Amino acid sequence: MITVQSISRYDKIHSTAITIGTFDGIHVGHRKILERLINNAKVLGLKSTVLTFFPHPRMVLQQDVSIQLLNTIEEKVQIMKSLGLDYLIIHPFTKDFSRLSATEFVRDILVNELKVKKIIIGYDHRFGRNRNADINDLIAFGNTLDFQVEEISAQEINEVSVSSTKIRKALEEGDIRRANKYLGYRYMLTGTVVKGKGLGRKLDFPTANLSIVEDYKLIPKNGVYVVSSVINGKTVYGMMNIGVNPTVAGTKRTIEINFFYFNQDLYGKKLQIDIIDRIRDEIKFDSLEALKAQLGKDRETSLSLIPK
């Protein structure tokens, strides 16, 4: 799959079948649409193409710093790569881009740059400056500029929307099993290992402290989770705490992973953490000894939940 950060003057793209959207989470509902796109492209001899935008339009137009997304852009690329798409176009979303008229967007980007021959799009899709054009306008453009438009039904769009809402709610409630069911894969956190306070090592449970720079990434509810990560080509399991370490009067939210049967220096290494299950809420203990005893129990619980 070819990933293109900007399509300006990109002339290597062949005739395409395109769908457009943010596809946050790329969950099972999204995948039905993407499978339809890929199958259409194969039948018509076109290249299957997803056109998405980054930053999220709300970050730019509304300066919405509270927006929480299920995927970082890096995670989105990784998941899309596994689906068999030909092209993933990540177009920079800017205020200037948002001011393009519907005609400019369709003619200059979809037709001239991306060589679209078919668009598969939601019945409620709106585009162009002030989002003033709809699917009927797109069909009219297609008749003039020689491309077909296939509508995704209200029922399918509603399924996608409901799934996204349920995933976010499940993560906020700590129901990782439900979130993973809707996603069709394990929810992931991607970040770099940084130095922490060393508390875990003092308790004989050394941890890798994960720093996630993308502040728009949705972090699940505080608590203890069973996780896995591929490190140097091998799958390593562990337990992860998300929270503020109340036992030592912590105030800053951290993400710390204790890997099982593993003892390597991970500082500065980028890791993807896949979340398997949730064990418990974060608890304030009366002493470090009580915390250490609980960590031992958490480890045994985690080991019992690791897929055989």
Side-chain angles (χ1 to χ4, degrees):
M1 183 186 70
I2 296 176
T3 303
V4 185
Q5 293 294 336
S6 174
I7 61 175
S8 178
R9 294 183 300 280
Y10 189 78
D11 59 3
K12 295 179 183 176
I13 291 179
H14 301 78
S15 296
T16 58
I18 288 177
T19 191
I20 304 168
T22 54
F23 290 96
D24 187 35
I26 318 176
H27 55 64
V28 290
H30 290 136
R31 290 179 191 219
K32 289 181 185 176
I33 295 168
L34 296 174
E35 283 170 12
R36 188 197 302 186
L37 172 73
I38 291 166
N39 291 335
N40 262 264
K42 285 178 180 175
V43 169
L44 298 171
L46 304 172
K47 296 293 184 181
S48 56
T49 302
V50 169
L51 173 59
T52 191
F53 307 101
F54 189 80
H56 192 285
R58 273 172 50 195
M59 294 178 182
V60 176
L61 300 179
Q62 302 169 22
Q63 296 186 326
D64 186 353
V65 295
S66 67
I67 188 169
Q68 297 281 276
L69 302 180
L70 300 173
N71 300 132
T72 65
I73 199 69
E74 184 179 338
E75 290 167 353
K76 183 176 289 188
V77 169
Q78 178 187 324
I79 299 164
M80 288 282 193
K81 276 184 176 178
S82 70
L83 301 180
L85 289 161
D86 291 311
Y87 298 127
L88 170 61
I89 310 296
I90 305 166
H91 195 286
F93 193 91
T94 63
K95 286 187 177 179
D96 283 344
F97 176 76
S98 74
R99 295 187 186 107
L100 287 181
S101 68
T103 300
E104 290 169 325
F105 174 66
V106 174
R107 181 194 62 209
D108 299 344
I109 292 180
L110 296 184
V111 175
N112 292 344
E113 294 282 359
L114 297 182
K115 300 176 175 58
V116 67
K117 290 298 178 183
K118 180 156 190 179
I119 298 177
I120 298 175
I121 203 74
Y123 77 100
D124 59 348
H125 181 71
R126 303 195 69 83
F127 62 100
R129 187 182 302 149
N130 298 324
R131 302 178 76 247
N132 60 2
D134 61 17
I135 191 166
N136 295 314
D137 297 299
L138 196 58
I139 292 168
F141 281 123
N143 292 334
T144 305
L145 297 171
D146 189 29
F147 61 81
Q148 300 173 5
V149 178
E150 182 176 324
E151 181 180 318
I152 302 168
S153 70
Q155 180 181 348
E156 286 178 281
I157 292 297
N158 187 52
E159 283 178 11
V160 167
S161 177
V162 167
S163 294
S164 294
T165 301
K166 286 183 176 178
I167 292 165
R168 288 188 174 86
K169 190 170 189 294
L171 291 169
E172 288 163 358
E173 293 175 351
D175 191 346
I176 197 70
R177 287 190 183 187
R178 184 155 56 99
N180 288 349
K181 178 183 175 183
Y182 283 111
L183 284 167
Y185 60 90
R186 291 173 184 161
Y187 192 67
M188 66 185 76
L189 300 175
T190 307
T192 303
V193 178
V194 298
K195 285 191 179 292
K197 294 181 178 179
L199 176 63
R201 191 168 297 279
K202 290 177 187 174
L203 298 172
D204 296 324
F205 288 90
T207 59
N209 294 264
L210 198 70
S211 172
I212 299 175
V213 297
E214 295 89 353
D215 54 8
Y216 60 81
K217 170 74 177 183
L218 195 159
I219 308 299
K221 182 182 179 181
N222 288 1
V224 181
Y225 295 82
V226 188
V227 300
S228 69
S229 183
V230 176
I231 304 174
N232 300 327
K234 296 183 71 172
T235 300
V236 182
Y237 292 94
M239 57 185 184
M240 172 178 70
N241 185 79
I242 300 175
V244 297
N245 295 308
T247 303
V248 291
T251 55
K252 183 181 177 183
R253 196 184 198 201
T254 60
I255 302 170
E256 303 174 63
I257 306 102
N258 170 245
F259 288 111
F260 306 143
Y261 312 116
F262 182 85
N263 185 22
Q264 291 180 28
D265 183 0
L266 294 174
Y267 288 130
K269 192 173 184 70
K270 193 156 200 175
L271 296 182
Q272 175 185 307
I273 307 298
D274 294 340
I275 309 178
I276 299 169
D277 210 340
R278 188 174 191 269
I279 303 173
R280 62 173 175 85
D281 288 339
E282 186 177 45
I283 303 167
K284 181 177 181 179
F285 294 92
D286 294 333
S287 66
L288 289 179
E289 289 75 17
L291 171 57
K292 182 175 179 178
Q294 181 62 52
L295 290 175
K297 294 175 185 176
D298 292 341
R299 186 177 190 276
E300 293 307 310
T301 303
S302 297
L303 288 169
S304 73
L305 291 170
I306 289 172
K308 299 294 187 285

